[in-house]
Amino acid sequence: MASGGLSCLAAPLLVMLGSLKHGGETQASLLQWPRPNGVHPVALGCSRSRGGTLMYEQVPIVQIDGMNLVETRAILRYPAAKYNLYGRNLQEQAWIDMYVEGLRDLSDMIMFFPLSLPGEKEMNLEYILEKATTRFFPVYEKALRDHGQDFLVGDWLSWADIQLLEVILMAEECKASVLAGFPLLQEFKARISYIPTIHKFLQPGSQRKPPLDEVSTETVKNIFKFERGMFLKNMGTIVAEY
């Protein structure tokens, strides 16, 4: 599962995928993560008072092209646009935005799931899987069927494809068979996963983050000084207990 505000898979891949070729065209030069030609995340302990880099005094932050990018959407949109992963016209960009925002809704549910109240974890897991299989995945299954291409938008890999793969992988960490009723999404996952740069990123030992386990949850609670815990209640309200 994603374990932070910045999408764990999409952010590095949007940068690294600049090297991939589609239709004989090179999208950009390869940039390695986390320190590609001046592109790297700033340490969690960095603060505005010490370096003036955190606009809102909070992470995530990525340094690229001499800028300190903050806020998740801005961080993801910039490399997507720079490396031709953000559509070829305004209409394609609008579709990408719609697909990405829907995926963010589902990924946020999964990301906060480890913070569920102990007595509500099973209920929250059922809620996540129900929404994934009845509200979100049917949209993308239909999009692939109606579009008739290998990608969600146009005939070119986009930010939306990378974000969809990330959320599929997150959902499979909740339930391995979550795509059982979605044959086109299964094909999509296999196809996008075997793009060389993505395939390399998904291998053990890469920069990909593991699911948030109990130890990691306690670490997060300590970092953000949750004295008794921060919990997800009824999949809608974050409750901090002190």
Side-chain angles (χ1 to χ4, degrees):
M1 287 174 207
S3 56
L6 177 61
S7 177
C8 293
L9 173 62
L13 284 182
L14 282 174
V15 178
M16 291 194 297
L17 281 169
S19 68
L20 297 177
K21 294 182 178 181
H22 294 283
E25 299 180 57
T26 302
Q27 296 192 43
S29 60
L30 176 63
L31 300 178
Q32 295 297 327
W33 186 270
R35 291 185 176 276
N37 298 341
V39 181
H40 59 89
V42 175
L44 184 63
C46 179
S47 68
R48 182 183 178 86
S49 61
R50 288 163 54 191
T53 54
L54 294 176
M55 183 180 295
Y56 301 111
E57 301 186 27
Q58 63 186 24
V59 291
I61 181 171
V62 168
Q63 293 179 333
I64 182 172
D65 293 344
M67 297 186 300
N68 297 312
L69 286 178
V70 300
E71 296 299 325
T72 301
R73 288 178 181 82
I75 289 170
L76 296 177
R77 188 173 287 114
Y78 183 87
K82 180 174 181 176
Y83 300 116
N84 299 326
L85 297 168
Y86 194 33
R88 291 173 169 171
N89 52 55
L90 286 175
Q91 187 176 47
E92 287 189 357
Q93 289 176 3
W95 279 107
I96 290 169
D97 284 341
M98 287 189 287
Y99 288 143
V100 166
E101 289 303 310
L103 290 163
R104 180 181 174 87
D105 290 343
L106 178 56
S107 67
D108 282 353
M109 293 183 198
I110 301 173
M111 181 174 66
F112 287 113
F113 171 68
L115 299 176
S116 299
L117 287 167
E120 296 190 350
K121 274 201 168 185
E122 184 175 347
M123 179 192 72
N124 287 342
L125 178 59
E126 290 178 358
Y127 181 91
I128 289 170
L129 294 173
E130 189 269 334
K131 292 300 181 185
T133 56
T134 64
R135 175 182 293 182
F136 294 102
F137 287 162
V139 170
Y140 300 99
E141 181 82 3
K142 183 177 186 298
L144 291 168
R145 182 173 61 251
D146 292 349
H147 189 47
Q149 299 285 339
D150 288 344
F151 310 106
L152 285 172
V153 179
D155 58 356
W156 187 280
L157 184 74
S158 77
W159 172 17
D161 299 307
I162 299 168
Q163 199 79 56
L164 177 55
L165 176 62
E166 179 192 30
V167 174
I168 286 173
L169 295 174
M170 292 171 70
E172 287 184 332
E173 288 170 354
C174 295
K175 183 179 180 181
S177 61
V178 70
L179 289 185
F182 304 98
L184 295 182
L185 285 179
Q186 292 177 42
E187 294 174 5
F188 172 88
K189 175 198 167 187
R191 183 167 60 246
I192 302 301
S193 295
Y194 275 94
I195 291 174
T197 312
I198 296 180
H199 183 69
K200 180 179 178 181
F201 184 76
L202 295 177
Q203 300 310 301
S206 77
Q207 293 291 328
R208 186 186 178 202
K209 302 298 182 183
L212 194 64
D213 56 20
E214 291 183 7
V215 174
S216 300
T217 301
E218 288 302 315
T219 300
V220 170
K221 287 159 64 175
N222 290 333
I223 288 173
F224 292 100
K225 303 186 188 310
F226 301 147
E227 294 182 11
R228 289 184 57 194
M230 181 174 176
F231 300 102
L232 186 66
K233 182 175 177 61
N234 298 326
M235 288 307 304
T237 305
I238 298 294
V239 180
E241 295 185 352
Y242 298 96

